[in-house]
Amino acid sequence: MGSRLSITLLALAAFTTAAQAQDKDKTGDIVARGEYLARAGDCTACHTAPEGRLFAGGRAMPTPFGTLYTSNITPDPETGIGKWSADDFYKTMHNGRFPDGGLIYPAMPFASYTKVTRADSDAIFAYLRSIPPVSQKNRPHELRFPYDNRQLILGWRTLFFSEGEFKPDPKKSAEWNRGAYLVEGLGHCGMCHSPINALGGTSQSDAFKGGLIPMQNWYAPSLTSNREAGLGDWSIKDITDLLQTGVSARGVVYGPMAEVVHNSLQYLDDADTKAMAVYLKGISEPSPPPPASSALPTTESSLLISLGKTVYDKNCASCHGTQGEGKPPHWPPLANNQSIEMQSAVNPIRMVLNGGYPPGTKGNPMPYGMPPFAGLLSDNEVAAVVSYIRTAWGNRGTPVSAREANELRSAPLN
Amino acid sequence: MLWSGINRPSLLEGDELFARTTALAIAILAAIDAAAAQTANQPPDTMAARVEACTPCHGNKGEGTSDVYFPRLAGKPAGYLYNQLLAFRSGRRKYPPMNYLLEFLPDPYLEAMAEYFASEHPPLPQPAPSEVSKDVLAQGEQLATSGDAGRNIPACVSCHGPGLTGMQPGIPGLLGLRAPYISAQLGAWRYGTRTARSPDCMQLVAGHLTEADVTAVAAWLATRPAPANPAPVPKGTYALPFGCGSQPN
């Protein structure tokens, strides 16, 4: 009898241990999945300050309305989200409200995160519960009147926020839908790649149509127009290369997009990256090229372009090639490069002035960099060389003026 | 005709020599071609090509440029350069063009950049004639070589070395820099806009300096000629007079 009982107990003990181990695996799985999804959402870009602890917040976010400070999302019970439930977290992601119902400023991309599924929200929450808690009080925002009144957010929400999880399009493939889910949801690509109006909002019909990023003075090109960053005539491999490594045969990422690849996209697996590529390629709308028009008088343009060729041959051709062919992927081609040709000349001017490195990624750990020419070229020379690369080798951009070049000398660098 | 009477036997005669030379030349050309075919469409796989973004301000080999505010990098200890790259990347050391360039580069790459410039040894420049008076230079020399114990100012040489060439791995040499750069950096330490890991020894030192001290020290340091051996001395060659976060003991 006694021995039977012990056998039973032993068996029970063994069963319990196995069950616990299984639970632990499950927890491990969900935490790992949450970490992956937190990467896809690029939470760290805002919620980790430079030299700060992971997800302890405190990063300053300059906006046209004042400076916001990001919040501590570590599991510290007093200063972080340690007392939150998974429901609270989902409500924040899905509806842009704190657990007590308070309104969140839309710098937090809840207009995109609302598309995230409950299961994915729970996984991210499980991951955030697993990281070391950091006791660090949130710094109050410094917004100008009247923007310091959170009730104004209600108006913003009425205009620009529509709540709702992602609904797959049954007419499209599972891959396309996965890409759409990532791009429109966690990826919150529309936050930069859609035009932002004076109210800091963007309308659904303008999604992914491109726009100047407020405060940063970089132009986030349209993802739908092939005259900008539309990827309609890119191969899937070139798109996935760009997203995963930061460099591709067609061009490299720079400016704010370097941050996105560095902190987020390089960590996505091959299947998700390809899904995003398929979706992004799919949303491009080939548009007939508008007739080239320039604000500059023809004589001034031709003078600029002829000076531009001299500047180019002396300073640029050794890497980018005499015909703008480059040595891709590391030295990007400038001929047939949408980033050079597009309507806004902000980015090519800034690249000439500031230079830049693509991000160091797993796939490209030691990127080649472009030297800054702000100290070497005059406004006129910058305008000339940018006018030249925008119009040479069949490129269909327009010339730019020395004034435009001069204005961007004071653009913020970080 | 000194050589005419000497019979120099040729190893290979006429046609054969030509044929063999041609064959060799073709083989070499083919080898070069094959190597070129692999790399013709790619930038050189070198650090020199990767740090071209640094060269407009710091010179091709980190020797500096005509702009007196951009420092020489060549030959400084790799540990020091790496610390600066990390500080610029995180924004602790503020200079927007540098902060921007480094923002998304990983540690091992910054380390490789530091190693690259540390291993370059272009000659030090001729010191430019100083624009300050002899008295000011003498004051600078006094502070740099002996310090001022009464005001708690250690001599520059007590940390940066008797030859001012720095010490591995974290203490930079002070040679080959122009007075405006040194003065700007000392000013930044004094005002707390340039900081380093605690204990922040340079901030403590610079905090005791007056503006006149800064001018004098910067001017004197910029007049120093290149020593026979400009390399930083090995780690532990001498003991530092006080703790320094950048050079843990």
Side-chain angles (χ1 to χ4, degrees):
Chain A
M1 191 65 189
S3 67
R4 246 199 208 175
L5 184 66
S6 6
I7 289 169
T8 315
L9 282 175
L10 267 178
L12 195 63
F15 177 76
T16 315
T17 318
Q20 276 170 348
Q22 209 177 9
D23 269 3
K24 209 174 163 197
D25 277 356
K26 259 193 184 162
T27 318
D29 278 355
I30 195 176
V31 166
R33 210 163 66 83
E35 179 175 13
Y36 177 83
L37 294 166
R39 296 271 198 200
D42 203 1
C43 312
T44 195
C46 297
H47 286 282
T48 305
E51 287 198 326
R53 303 274 306 274
L54 182 69
F55 292 131
R59 187 182 188 107
M61 309 279 294
T63 78
F65 315 108
T67 301
L68 294 166
Y69 293 93
T70 59
S71 55
N72 182 343
I73 55 169
T74 71
D76 183 68
E78 301 311 321
T79 62
I81 60 170
K83 289 179 183 161
W84 288 28
S85 66
D87 279 349
D88 291 335
F89 186 76
Y90 178 72
K91 192 156 76 178
T92 308
M93 292 279 282
H94 188 72
N95 195 21
R97 282 179 184 270
F98 290 109
D100 66 3
L103 297 162
I104 293 181
Y105 282 107
M108 161 82 177
F110 59 84
S112 306
Y113 290 169
T114 190
K115 301 199 177 208
V116 173
T117 62
R118 175 68 200 232
D120 282 358
S121 170
D122 285 354
I124 296 171
F125 184 65
Y127 162 64
L128 291 175
R129 299 281 303 173
S130 78
I131 62 169
V134 178
S135 174
Q136 178 178 302
K137 277 203 175 119
N138 290 331
R139 188 170 164 178
H141 302 315
E142 293 162 6
L143 292 175
R144 286 191 312 278
F145 177 82
Y147 309 109
D148 51 351
N149 178 355
R150 280 189 192 250
Q151 292 310 306
L152 287 185
I153 300 173
L154 282 174
W156 186 94
R157 291 170 65 105
T158 311
L159 290 169
F160 306 116
F161 177 54
S162 68
E163 180 188 332
E165 281 187 19
F166 177 76
K167 295 272 179 300
D169 180 345
K171 295 194 290 294
K172 304 282 189 181
S173 68
E175 193 174 43
W176 186 98
N177 276 303
R178 175 68 181 165
Y181 174 69
L182 289 167
V183 168
E184 296 174 13
L186 282 172
H188 63 284
C189 309
M191 282 290 279
C192 291
H193 288 283
S194 303
I196 305 279
N197 56 36
L199 298 172
T202 179
S203 66
Q204 287 288 331
S205 58
D206 279 344
F208 306 126
K209 300 264 196 250
L212 196 69
I213 307 175
M215 309 307 285
Q216 298 192 19
N217 259 344
W218 284 100
Y219 182 77
S222 162
L223 297 179
T224 55
S225 163
N226 286 338
R227 283 184 49 78
E228 297 201 353
L231 299 166
D233 64 354
W234 284 47
S235 72
I236 291 292
K237 180 178 185 310
D238 288 341
I239 305 173
T240 56
D241 281 352
L242 188 80
L243 299 179
Q244 272 186 324
T245 70
V247 297
S248 80
R250 298 291 296 267
V252 308
V253 297
Y254 54 83
M257 194 61 196
E259 182 280 313
V260 179
V261 170
H262 181 259
N263 288 327
S264 172
L265 296 175
Q266 67 160 318
Y267 297 100
L268 297 196
D269 64 31
D270 291 350
D272 277 347
T273 310
K274 178 153 178 274
M276 289 175 82
V278 165
Y279 170 72
L280 288 168
K281 193 172 162 72
I283 60 170
S284 75
E285 303 157 349
S287 45
S293 65
S294 166
L296 293 183
T298 321
T299 44
E300 193 180 337
S301 296
S302 33
L303 274 175
L304 265 180
I305 290 167
S306 121
L307 169 65
K309 179 170 170 23
T310 312
V311 176
Y312 182 86
D313 289 343
K314 179 164 174 262
N315 297 289
C316 320
S318 59
C319 294
H320 292 289
T322 49
Q323 296 304 308
E325 71 277 18
K327 289 190 175 180
H330 297 295
W331 288 346
L334 305 183
N336 191 29
N337 180 330
Q338 289 145 276
S339 215
I340 304 294
E341 297 176 87
M342 63 190 175
Q343 188 73 34
S344 164
V346 163
N347 295 1
I349 293 173
R350 292 205 57 180
M351 281 308 290
V352 170
L353 289 172
N354 308 135
Y357 273 97
T361 56
K362 280 180 290 177
N364 186 33
M366 303 218 294
Y368 291 76
M370 158 107 178
F373 284 92
L376 300 177
L377 301 179
S378 67
D379 293 342
N380 207 38
E381 288 169 323
V382 171
V385 78
V386 173
S387 296
Y388 176 68
I389 61 175
R390 277 164 66 80
T391 53
W393 322 301
N395 278 358
R396 291 179 301 193
T398 51
V400 302
S401 70
R403 194 171 59 87
E404 289 172 80
N406 179 272
E407 281 168 359
L408 287 167
R409 282 187 187 269
S410 55
L413 277 167
N414 58 341
Chain B
M1 307 308 298
L2 187 61
W3 294 102
S4 60
I6 300 171
N7 181 16
R8 302 174 68 222
S10 169
L11 293 173
L12 297 168
E13 294 291 334
D15 285 355
E16 195 185 350
L17 178 67
F18 177 76
R20 288 206 186 181
T21 315
T22 312
L24 185 67
I26 288 172
I28 290 171
L29 283 176
I32 292 172
D33 217 37
Q38 282 175 354
T39 55
N41 291 320
Q42 285 303 304
D45 187 8
T46 59
M47 277 308 291
R50 288 187 165 85
V51 300
E52 273 187 43
C54 318
T55 62
C57 300
H58 295 287
N60 281 337
K61 293 178 178 296
E63 70 276 19
T65 57
S66 59
D67 190 316
V68 293
Y69 285 100
F70 295 140
R72 174 187 177 89
L73 306 177
K76 286 191 178 166
Y80 169 76
L81 293 176
Y82 181 52
N83 282 344
Q84 303 317 303
L85 290 169
L86 292 177
F88 278 122
R89 187 185 62 186
S90 70
R92 170 195 279 272
R93 194 172 167 186
K94 290 178 193 68
Y95 183 63
M98 283 292 292
N99 303 138
Y100 159 78
L101 281 175
L102 300 177
E103 199 170 358
F104 305 114
L105 301 182
D107 293 357
Y109 190 24
L110 298 185
E111 230 172 327
M113 287 179 168
E115 295 285 349
Y116 172 77
F117 284 113
S119 66
E120 289 293 326
H121 300 290
L124 282 158
Q126 289 295 321
S130 185
E131 288 167 9
V132 302
S133 71
K134 276 190 178 158
D135 287 351
V136 172
L137 277 183
Q139 187 202 345
E141 177 171 13
Q142 171 70 24
L143 277 174
T145 57
S146 310
D148 184 343
R151 291 194 289 145
N152 264 330
I153 301 170
C156 302
V157 296
S158 63
C159 292
H160 293 276
L164 293 166
T165 55
M167 178 160 66
Q168 299 284 3
I171 300 192
L174 301 178
L175 300 170
L177 303 172
R178 273 71 57 94
Y181 174 76
I182 303 174
S183 172
Q185 297 310 308
L186 286 173
W189 290 113
R190 282 178 72 212
Y191 291 113
T193 51
R194 182 170 172 183
T195 63
R197 209 174 304 148
S198 173
D200 192 347
C201 46
M202 269 313 294
Q203 195 162 40
L204 293 173
V205 174
H208 296 301
L209 298 176
T210 64
E211 270 186 44
D213 293 335
V214 169
T215 308
V217 169
W220 184 76
L221 286 173
T223 63
R224 295 297 81 208
N229 178 11
V233 297
K235 183 181 180 182
T237 302
Y238 49 87
L240 299 181
F242 47 86
C244 195
S246 306
Q247 180 89 345
N249 280 318

